[in-house]
Amino acid sequence: MGFKLGAERICRYGVRIGLSLACAVAFTVWEPGALSVSAAEQKKSKTSETRKTGRRLSKVPPGNRNKIQPRIPFISSNRTRSHNKTFEQKFDRIVRTLTREHRLVRKIKSVSKTYGIEPIHMVGAIVGEHTYNYDNLDTLQGYYIKAASYLKLPIEFKHAGHNVEDFVQQPPFHRCNKLKRSSSVWACRERVWDKVYRGRRVDGVKYSSQKFGEAFFQPLFAGQSFGLGQLHPLTVLKMSDQVSRISKFKKLKETNEREVYRAAMDPDRSLHYMAAIIKDAITAYRTVGKVDISGNPGVVATLYNLGDPWARARSFRDRGRAYPEENYYGWLVNDRLKELSKLVK
């Protein structure tokens, strides 16, 4: 079908893949026991849900809501243009890589099953990230090598002289530290950073105007995210308890920077964190937005790209729209869905 890149016709340009380490950014289909619930119980649940919210759970239909692809961010198009490739070329290269990486596809299917999501959602995230936010998809073995190399580097999560584990013990963070879910804890800490510290001078210390994750979790270079799913260290920490519960991995701590990077870069672990992100997004929209997005890979991919699904689900609910829309990233996934689905058949 081809890409529709708007008036700028960014498709003429492209990206030469060369970054060897990593770069750029990232949800629950159904609960594992949901299929065993009786029809009567489901009806009762839906009725109760409607009384509480005034809205029944509805399925988002397949396909794109937008007829043409939404505008691609300048940073992505400029990177592609500067390296003399096109998005179409990048997409084709990723699909070819996935086609021959049978071992990786088997891992994707296995992890998807563990998390109760469809494997097309993980494929969509990988394709989206490596088409728009990163310039290459390495072989599976290449990602193992990169993960091993990063574990040898001196890495600290710190800013303005504070290690993050000490910084979040300051009084403004006390209410966050009482929360149970790791995603809730870190989201709360992000809000406190924005309200109290970001771009301000506090107790004689001048703090960055960057986001919390950028200020504390980019010890090597800016704009960094890693591995198959282009995971950011803070995103990995947010998903830590869910991955620990489902996959039985040891829960990560911000004091163990190398293990956080390993989780982001080692395919044997990063796929689990990708699946948790996807599961979390689907859960957020089902719980808060009262829509089931699991049948629309483009919407799921959009949320993987944008992040913060619970806040976005609340915003969607409050606007009263019928269905969420895909962005440029999710639009691609839906537009090329037939081709992508063949990868995981």
Side-chain angles (χ1 to χ4, degrees), residues 6-302:
E8 295 184 354
R9 295 188 178 276
I10 302 166
C11 205
R12 296 177 181 175
Y13 306 99
V15 163
R16 175 164 312 173
I17 296 32
L19 301 179
S20 61
L21 280 176
C23 335
V25 173
F27 283 73
T28 251
V29 171
W30 54 81
E31 293 300 326
L35 297 179
S36 64
V37 178
S38 69
E41 288 174 321
Q42 290 181 20
K43 183 176 181 180
K44 181 179 178 181
S45 176
K46 286 183 178 180
T47 301
S48 175
E49 190 175 71
T50 302
R51 286 173 181 167
K52 290 179 182 179
T53 66
R55 179 171 184 165
R56 284 181 179 273
L57 182 71
S58 60
K59 283 185 173 291
V60 177
N64 288 317
R65 308 279 79 80
N66 295 290
K67 292 183 179 180
I68 62 173
Q69 186 176 31
R71 186 181 180 88
I72 297 172
F74 174 77
I75 189 171
S76 180
S77 59
N78 188 55
R79 185 192 304 122
T80 300
R81 181 170 57 243
S82 67
H83 287 79
N84 208 23
K85 285 190 180 294
T86 68
F87 290 122
E88 184 77 34
Q89 289 172 326
K90 293 172 71 178
F91 176 89
D92 289 342
R93 178 172 180 171
I94 295 160
V95 170
R96 287 196 303 271
T97 300
L98 290 172
T99 299
R100 65 174 178 264
E101 284 285 343
H102 302 295
R103 183 181 169 204
L104 172 57
V105 172
R106 286 196 298 271
K107 287 178 179 289
I108 289 172
K109 289 181 177 180
S110 176
V111 173
S112 296
K113 184 176 181 180
T114 298
Y115 282 79
I117 63 174
E118 293 296 327
I120 185 61
H121 296 315
M122 295 186 70
V123 168
I126 291 171
V127 169
E129 288 300 324
H130 290 79
T131 299
Y132 295 116
N133 294 328
Y134 183 41
D135 299 335
N136 192 13
L137 177 59
D138 290 331
T139 63
L140 186 61
Q141 185 62 30
Y143 278 115
Y144 285 123
I145 293 171
K146 286 182 181 180
S149 68
Y150 262 60
L151 293 178
K152 299 175 183 177
L153 297 175
I155 301 170
E156 286 186 289
F157 296 147
K158 64 188 303 182
H159 171 67
H162 296 289
N163 288 318
V164 69
E165 66 268 22
D166 297 327
F167 182 72
V168 296
Q169 297 307 314
Q170 295 188 36
F173 294 100
H174 284 178
R175 61 189 177 90
C176 302
N177 300 335
K178 296 177 182 179
L179 300 174
K180 294 182 178 180
R181 296 181 63 208
S182 54
S183 58
S184 300
V185 170
W186 287 106
C188 177
R189 289 169 175 174
E190 287 179 293
R191 290 192 296 271
V192 171
W193 166 262
D194 287 343
K195 184 177 180 180
V196 179
Y197 298 96
R198 186 175 180 181
R200 295 179 173 86
R201 185 177 294 277
V202 180
D203 295 332
V205 178
K206 175 63 177 175
Y207 292 99
S208 170
S209 59
Q210 295 176 305
K211 295 179 180 179
F212 182 68
E214 294 171 348
F216 279 92
F217 293 94
Q218 297 186 342
L220 301 177
F221 53 88
Q224 62 186 184
S225 54
F226 304 90
L228 285 166
Q230 290 299 284
L231 298 173
H232 188 279
L234 181 55
T235 306
V236 169
L237 287 168
K238 286 181 177 180
M239 293 295 107
S240 179
D241 59 356
Q242 188 171 172
V243 171
S244 177
R245 176 174 58 83
I246 296 175
S247 299
K248 309 306 179 186
F249 293 156
K250 186 177 180 180
K251 187 175 179 179
L252 295 171
K253 295 182 179 180
E254 64 272 21
T255 54
N256 195 338
E257 294 91 345
R258 284 183 174 80
E259 283 302 304
V260 173
Y261 272 86
R262 180 186 176 195
M265 298 191 69
D266 184 339
D268 290 338
R269 293 179 178 266
S270 66
L271 289 173
H272 293 258
Y273 286 87
M274 287 182 64
I277 292 166
I278 293 167
K279 183 178 179 70
D280 189 53
I282 298 173
T283 299
Y285 270 71
R286 186 183 184 93
T287 304
V288 177
K290 302 307 175 189
V291 289
D292 180 1
I293 64 174
S294 64
N296 191 305
V299 171
V300 174
T302 294

